[in-house]
């Protein structure tokens, strides 16, 4: 970490952000905390024990835990209401993407356009030197021979050392300006158990609080139900790869490529094998299903390319690894940016790639670039 700076800590009410803030204080930084209330996900107003977690986030317990963590650490605390902005930007985009036949990643969208954007704007106005979060990732500012920051090579984003908890995938869409202004004190932690142990040693009540894995604004996990409630019923046909009708659906927008469960098909395939969604045509309101092998692809095109590695040109094909899911397996590939798109050719076939998901390019543990999948072949 940079020594002795004024830091704005994003507190979520969980153990990771609490330990990250405590580490910054211990390192000598001047730390203030803020909790972003992004929506009112209040299935119940009853407060829970700090070792428990309500589904999703944005609930009274998380806000209370964030305040309690800040008090225990001994830092100023504020809570900001950004529910309207979150709804207008993240949830509206989520619905629009599904309605267009894409499967978006709302966490990446939120980081890009709300969480970090809000925190950075506020931090700069108030004279902070950095924004701190509990993400498992690392940033490195390369140095020139004289020990100063090397302007020719911008701040690099690297995986956290705890590979199974690494969150560089969801941070890869941040701008260089945002990365240079970020601090991730948990990047060197070996695993989550070590973080919990440190929290317990510091006397933080959230040391054993469970993680949340749901989309925060869909706490019950019923994405199809959430979409139907907001986009309405749009009955249509489910067809197989030959075009034969095999069922009906309540809205093509609610399906994602690679989906196997919840298809509601009245009869199995002729060969008895499972069927998967292999295409979603929202314009015609048709969902196509077929065998797993029809999902296999080796070529990916991604829009909105963001290339962090200015020291590694990408106009010609270069070897790299790519990741297409938050905790997916890195895959060897050749990548380049051409015609305004990030293009990927995998060394091996991969299945079930949904349009709208992110593809992140790595060289070993360093993040090179990011794009949003728009086409596969």
């Amino acid at each position: 970490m940079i020594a002795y700076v004024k830091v704005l800590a994003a507190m979520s009410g969980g153990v990771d952000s609490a330990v990250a803030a405590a580490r910054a204080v211990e390192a000598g930084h001047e730390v203030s905390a803020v909790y972003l209330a992004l929506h009112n996900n209040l299935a119940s107003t009853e407060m829970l024990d700090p070792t428990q977690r309500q589904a999703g986030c944005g609930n009274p317990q998380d806000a209370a835990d964030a305040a309690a963590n800040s008090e225990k650490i001994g830092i100023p605390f504020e809570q900001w209401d950004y529910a309207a902005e979150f709804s207008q930007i993240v949830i509206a985009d989520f619905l629009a993407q599904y309605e267009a036949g894409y499967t978006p990643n709302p966490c990446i969208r939120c980081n890009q356009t709300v969480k970090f954007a809000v925190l950075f704007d506020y931090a700069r106005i108030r004279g902070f030197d950095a924004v701190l979060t509990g993400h498992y990732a690392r940033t490195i500012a390369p140095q020139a021979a004289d020990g100063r920051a090397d302007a020719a090579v911008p701040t690099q984003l690297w995986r956290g050392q705890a590979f199974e908890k690494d969150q560089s995938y969801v941070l890869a869409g941040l701008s260089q300006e945002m990365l240079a202004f970020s601090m991730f004190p948990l990047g060197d932690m070996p695993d989550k158990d070590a973080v919990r142990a440190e929290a317990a040693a510091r006397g933080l009540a959230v040391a054993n609080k469970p993680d949340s894995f749901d989309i925060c604004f869909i706490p019950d996990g019923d994405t199809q139900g959430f979409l139907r409630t907001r986009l309405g019923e749009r009955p249509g046909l489910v067809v197989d790869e030959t075009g034969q009708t095999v069922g009906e659906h309540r809205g093509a927008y609610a399906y994602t490529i690679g989906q196997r469960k919840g298809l509601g098909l009245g009869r199995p395939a002729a060969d008895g094998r499972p069927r998967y969604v292999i295409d979603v045509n929202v314009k015609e309101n048709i969902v196509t299903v077929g065998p797993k092998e029809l999902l296999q692809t080796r070529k990916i095109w991604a829009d909105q390319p963001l290339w962090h590695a200015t020291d590694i040109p990408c106009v010609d094909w270069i070897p790299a690894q790519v990741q297409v899911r938050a905790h997916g397996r890195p895959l060897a590939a050749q990548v380049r940016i051409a015609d305004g798109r990030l293009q990927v050719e995998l060394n091996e076939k991969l299945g079930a790639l949904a349009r709208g998901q992110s593809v992140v390019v790595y060289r070993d543990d360093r993040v090179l670039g990011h794009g949003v999948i728009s086409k596969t072949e």
Side-chain angles (χ1 to χ4, degrees), residues 86 90 94 104-116 135 169-171 174 212-217 326:
F86 183 83
V90 178
F94 182 83
N105 189 318
C107 294
I108 293 178
R109 174 72 171 170
C110 182
N111 282 336
Q112 290 175 314
T113 61
V114 179
K115 281 185 181 178
F116 280 84
H135 286 93
Y169 177 88
V170 298
L171 298 173
L174 297 183
S212 176
F213 298 101
D214 303 304
I215 295 175
C216 63
F217 52 90

Side-chain angles (χ1 to χ4, degrees), residues 148-170:
R148 298 182 181 181
D150 187 349
V153 183
T155 299
Q156 300 173 4
L157 176 64
W158 288 66
R159 291 189 188 277
Q161 289 191 4
F163 181 82
E164 68 283 355
K165 295 296 294 182
D166 170 56
Q167 292 174 296
S168 60
Y169 177 88
V170 298

Side-chain angles (χ1 to χ4, degrees), residues 22-38:
R23 284 188 148 206
V25 171
E26 192 173 74
H29 301 303
E30 180 186 342
V31 182
S32 297
V34 62
Y35 175 82
L36 290 182
L38 299 179

Side-chain angles (χ1 to χ4, degrees), residues 312-369:
I312 303 177
C314 194
V315 292
D316 294 320
W317 293 103
I318 64 170
Q321 300 88 41
V322 299
Q323 192 169 315
V324 296
R325 297 177 181 86
H327 297 288
R329 176 171 62 93
L331 302 165
Q334 300 288 318
V335 303
R336 71 173 180 178
I337 294 179
D339 300 324
R341 278 176 152 183
L342 176 63
Q343 299 180 8
V344 179
E345 291 196 0
L346 299 167
N347 290 7
E348 61 182 277
K349 289 185 177 181
L350 182 67
L353 292 183
R355 298 184 295 267
Q357 291 290 289
S358 288
V359 55
V360 178
V361 183
Y362 292 84
R363 176 71 60 84
D364 296 322
D365 287 341
R366 178 187 172 187
V367 174
L368 302 187

